[in-house]
Amino acid sequence: MIANRARHVALALLALLIANQAVFAKRPKPGFNLFSKEQDVQIGQEGMKEIEKTVKLMKNREVNEYVRSIGERLAATSEAGGYPYTFKVVWDDSINAFALPGGPTYVNTGLILAADNEGQLAGVMGHEIAHVALRHGTNQASKANLLQLGAMVGGSMLGGGSITGQLAQLGIGFGANSVLMKFSRNAERDADLLGAYMMAQAGYNPLEAARFFEKLEAEAGNRSGVAQFFSSHPNPGNRTERIEKEIQYMERRSYDGDTGQLERIKAIIRGAAPPEGTAPGQQPPGPPPQEPPQAAPAPQQPATAPSSRQQAYQGREFQLAYPENWRAFGQDGQVSVTFAPEDGIVQAQGGGTAIARGAVANMMAASRGQSVNLERDTGRLIEQLRQGNPGMKAANRQPRAITVDGSPGLLTTLYSPSPFPGQTEVDMLLTVARPQGLYYMVFIAPQSEFRQHQAAFESILRSIKFSQ
Ligand code: ZN
């Protein structure tokens, strides 16, 4: 009997442990990102100036204070990640809200009018704050423009100039279809969930957000001005159901956070005169469309041969030796480094910068709760590379297994369009399984110059030493 009871207790403890782990495992975390948190904030601050030139902000003090106080309660939760959030009301009939990386958050008057209760308004704001905290904008930009941004974030951003100016050259802006502002269904699912945790902590029923989204979705057909929200925030499906399952894990269960002011605020909005120079409903819904980048492709210059003399690069995670006539473009606190000759970084055909000759080194963090699997994670990385380089193809031959400083690795040959018009580029991808993630390097050269660069690439590869 005693033995049996002890076993029951042990099983109960085990179940509790598993349940607890499930709680932590389910709370979403920020994903792969080439940018630092400080750069998220800088992008948001620069974007705020751009956006506020084109939208009309609500001037009424009471309305602004109301929205700000709700936002600040949500932003004070641990899930919000401590970004410098600001909350502003846009005079616009369409049912929309949006947030820029690093914190600036905007709510349309149309959204406030459409909410049935304060929890619904708080729910949309929590969802937007969650996108900021999970760094979805820069995460998506990182994945979609891996190669170009590797050089940019590592190199020219060192100058401390405008990041958004440089992103614009890659075609990344604050337009409705930009990778910074248009989210994937997975990102939506995570933002719903993290936003729900924030709502519970701030004293709102976490289900109100999901209910509101579902109500809007159902009415979208015969309700104007809601399409924009769902085009940037695609419905991940089963929203209410999913939050219902999670609610038991959330810290606070008495939902007494409603200040009872929503109806009064709605009346103020309905009675307010539009801000100067505007007619309600005539503003573009959300941020303005981005300008297409304009830059002529660079003509191909004869390449400078890589020097056979080498210099050392010492990073936090790895060290290596690279040609003396190349430069390393890295940044404090970032793993990503680009090694390239002066003539290796050129203007891309679509505008912006591209690496035509050189190498990029980086680390892809292991997925939550998973250890690195060389084949699987190499496949995932290639998918990410392809997203940013649609013309990229894998060579017919099998990846080659190699060992790098004692760790198993793979060499995969990829081809993509070179920034030099009409040229094919060879992207030799090295991936190495490390305890903390997948270390990778892409060795890049136009196919016509690959032989000229091969010795330099191989000697870099042989020189790699990992820290610990
Ligand atoms: Zn969203």
Side-chain angles (χ1 to χ4, degrees):
M1 284 298 279
I2 290 171
N4 236 344
R5 180 168 299 161
R7 206 167 128 245
H8 273 125
V9 171
L11 279 176
L13 276 173
L14 186 69
L16 198 69
L17 266 172
I18 292 169
N20 266 329
Q21 275 176 349
V23 178
F24 294 117
K26 277 176 185 165
R27 209 173 296 204
K29 293 196 177 71
F32 168 77
N33 212 307
L34 291 171
F35 296 87
S36 64
K37 283 183 159 188
E38 291 71 28
Q39 286 174 324
D40 274 29
V41 173
Q42 195 187 335
I43 290 168
Q45 295 300 312
E46 291 175 20
M48 182 162 81
K49 289 190 196 119
E50 251 179 72
I51 284 194
E52 291 182 13
K53 283 181 204 155
T54 63
V55 299
K56 295 292 172 191
L57 295 177
M58 180 86 189
K59 293 289 192 306
N60 185 284
R61 193 183 56 81
E62 265 180 289
V63 176
N64 283 315
E65 289 278 297
Y66 174 69
V67 169
R68 197 171 69 218
S69 71
I70 295 173
E72 282 174 356
R73 277 161 62 193
L74 296 161
T77 62
S78 57
E79 283 83 4
Y83 288 92
Y85 290 95
T86 54
F87 301 95
K88 293 178 184 170
V89 180
V90 177
W91 180 270
D92 188 323
D93 278 352
S94 55
I95 300 165
N96 201 5
F98 57 93
L100 307 182
T105 305
Y106 299 85
V107 178
N108 281 5
T109 46
L111 180 98
I112 300 172
L113 293 175
D116 294 330
N117 57 52
E118 194 174 290
Q120 297 192 343
L121 173 58
V124 177
M125 294 176 72
H127 177 98
E128 293 297 337
I129 292 171
H131 280 309
V132 173
L134 293 169
R135 311 184 62 206
H136 282 151
T138 49
N139 162 259
Q140 295 186 156
S142 298
K143 288 195 283 193
N145 297 272
L146 198 55
L147 284 185
Q148 299 95 319
L149 282 174
M152 186 179 270
V153 175
S156 45
M157 278 183 186
L158 273 178
S162 149
I163 302 184
T164 47
Q166 297 179 48
L167 290 178
Q169 293 190 344
L170 288 180
I172 303 172
F174 294 98
N177 284 316
S178 159
V179 285
L180 289 174
M181 306 295 286
K182 184 175 175 151
F183 302 107
S184 69
R185 285 195 165 75
N186 281 339
E188 285 308 293
R189 205 169 294 142
D190 284 356
D192 275 3
L193 187 52
L194 200 69
Y197 274 98
M198 286 178 212
M199 288 179 77
Q201 277 203 51
Y204 295 106
N205 183 347
L207 288 173
E208 289 298 345
R211 284 184 189 142
F212 186 47
F213 288 140
E214 286 181 345
K215 175 187 109 162
L216 291 179
E217 182 90 20
E219 292 174 4
N222 40 24
R223 186 162 196 162
S224 63
V226 68
Q228 172 70 37
F229 184 83
F230 287 110
S231 112
S232 311
H233 302 262
N235 180 5
N238 306 326
R239 296 186 110 136
T240 306
E241 233 172 77
R242 209 171 280 129
I243 302 303
E244 269 169 352
K245 274 189 200 149
E246 286 286 323
I247 224 161
Q248 51 179 321
Y249 303 120
M250 296 175 187
E251 283 108 47
R252 179 164 173 177
R253 285 169 206 141
S254 78
Y255 304 131
D256 54 0
D258 197 314
T259 63
Q261 292 184 72
L262 180 66
E263 289 310 316
R264 193 173 59 82
I265 295 298
K266 282 186 184 180
I268 296 174
I269 292 172
R270 286 197 194 99
E276 260 171 53
T278 59
Q282 288 186 1
Q283 292 81 43
Q290 67 203 49
E291 306 241 322
Q294 288 174 345
Q300 184 169 359
Q301 306 289 330
T304 315
S307 166
S308 56
R309 293 170 64 109
Q310 294 190 315
Q311 54 185 326
Y313 172 80
Q314 176 68 59
R316 207 179 38 197
E317 315 259 353
F318 62 92
Q319 61 178 66
L320 52 75
Y322 64 100
E324 206 173 45
N325 61 348
W326 287 17
R327 284 175 58 195
F329 303 92
Q331 193 176 35
D332 288 347
Q334 297 274 330
V335 181
S336 169
V337 197
T338 296
F339 304 93
E342 289 289 341
D343 60 4
I345 296 180
V346 301
Q347 210 163 36
Q349 289 188 26
T353 45
I355 311 160
R357 308 170 177 110
V360 180
N362 206 344
M363 184 76 82
M364 184 168 79
S367 303
R368 252 182 295 150
Q370 288 185 337
S371 56
V372 178
N373 174 307
L374 187 58
E375 282 77 19
R376 181 198 64 206
D377 291 338
T378 297
R380 285 182 183 166
L381 175 63
I382 291 172
E383 272 317 301
Q384 286 186 4
L385 292 169
R386 275 212 188 109
Q387 279 177 27
N389 302 267
M392 186 174 261
K393 288 186 186 65
N396 285 328
R397 59 178 168 278
Q398 287 293 310
R400 185 150 60 92
I402 57 165
T403 303
V404 180
D405 192 26
S407 292
L410 283 177
L411 265 182
T412 310
T413 309
L414 302 161
Y415 297 103
S416 61
S418 167
F420 300 124
Q423 288 254 11
T424 296
E425 174 176 293
V426 180
D427 302 305
M428 184 66 78
L429 173 67
L430 165 72
T431 44
V432 183
R434 299 286 305 151
Q436 65 273 49
L438 189 74
Y439 171 83
Y440 68 90
M441 285 193 81
V442 190
F443 298 100
I444 304 156
Q447 195 167 19
S448 59
E449 294 174 12
F450 196 78
R451 293 180 83 91
Q452 195 188 336
H453 286 84
Q454 198 166 356
F457 291 162
E458 282 170 1
S459 82
I460 292 174
L461 201 159
R462 281 195 300 271
S463 72
I464 298 168
K465 293 263 181 299
F466 295 109
S467 319
Q468 288 145 25

